[in-house]
Amino acid sequence: MSILVLQIIIKQWDKSQRSPQHVEQRAKIPNHYSLKFPPAIYVFDERCVIDQHGDDLLGNRLNYSQSDSDTIQLDRFQISLSSKMLEYVAQPNSDIIPTTLGSLDNTWLQCNYNWRYGVDEGGFYYWLYEEVTLNAIVVNSLNENLFMDCKPEASINLP
């Protein structure tokens, strides 16, 4: 039985943290980690591992679901368990057709995008910026160094 492994790294900051020093500090944060339990967890009848790293300033940042027996959604990505294909959904819950990024069959892909959104917290409104990296692979057996032993098949920067 194959296992989908999804590792997500989230870097978040506000407008006051856009200086060259802050940018340099964020650049030093790794874009892949060894797989360890915890923080990694099994989900969807142990057919998937989700390993989250980085910031979650507002709490509950990571959204994941299984919309049908074949499709897993994580953040702005969806994966077909049968075809092992990774797709990017630029606007979740819209009619926009997802962009196919590639196969995850025993090879890993690294995807990266930047985003910002308005936050209204305690009477203050501000922009929260983030850089999101997803490392994804489908394997037959887990190895804690999945993302450490070799480079990704492709490193994709998304709009």
Side-chain angles (χ1 to χ4, degrees):
M1 180 170 143
S2 58
I3 300 169
L4 171 63
V5 181
L6 302 170
Q7 183 177 77
I8 191 162
I9 298 107
I10 303 169
K11 301 174 191 177
Q12 294 178 328
W13 64 95
D14 64 34
K15 190 174 181 176
S16 70
Q17 299 166 317
R18 296 187 307 166
S19 72
Q21 178 185 358
H22 288 106
V23 171
E24 184 179 326
Q25 286 173 343
R26 283 191 297 276
K28 291 179 182 176
I29 297 171
N31 61 5
H32 59 283
Y33 292 87
S34 295
L35 192 62
K36 298 200 186 312
F37 292 87
I41 58 170
Y42 281 99
V43 294
F44 310 123
D45 296 326
E46 297 192 358
R47 296 172 60 193
C48 178
V49 171
I50 296 179
D51 185 27
Q52 180 180 352
H53 296 270
D55 300 319
D56 190 357
L57 299 177
L58 301 176
N60 298 319
R61 163 61 184 82
L62 190 59
N63 295 311
Y64 57 90
S65 63
Q66 188 168 8
S67 58
D68 58 46
S69 63
D70 187 56
T71 307
I72 290 180
Q73 296 175 309
L74 173 77
D75 195 47
R76 296 178 180 274
F77 301 94
Q78 68 182 25
I79 303 96
S80 166
L81 295 173
S82 60
S83 70
K84 302 174 185 172
M85 295 300 288
L86 175 65
E87 296 179 319
Y88 178 66
V89 183
Q91 296 294 325
N93 302 320
S94 74
D95 292 332
I96 298 173
I97 297 172
T99 303
T100 300
L101 302 175
S103 173
L104 299 175
D105 194 10
N106 287 308
T107 187
W108 69 284
L109 299 179
Q110 183 174 76
C111 305
N112 185 284
Y113 73 86
N114 291 300
W115 197 252
R116 73 174 186 173
Y117 45 97
V119 176
D120 187 1
E121 186 177 53
F124 294 99
Y125 185 82
Y126 63 93
W127 287 108
L128 185 63
Y129 300 88
E130 64 183 15
E131 177 184 320
V132 176
T133 301
L134 174 73
N135 301 319
I137 189 170
V138 174
V139 294
N140 291 325
S141 62
L142 285 181
N143 167 356
E144 78 173 27
N145 292 316
L146 277 172
F147 301 117
M148 304 302 287
D149 287 343
C150 61
K151 293 184 183 222
E153 178 72 23
S155 192
I156 304 163
N157 290 317
L158 300 162

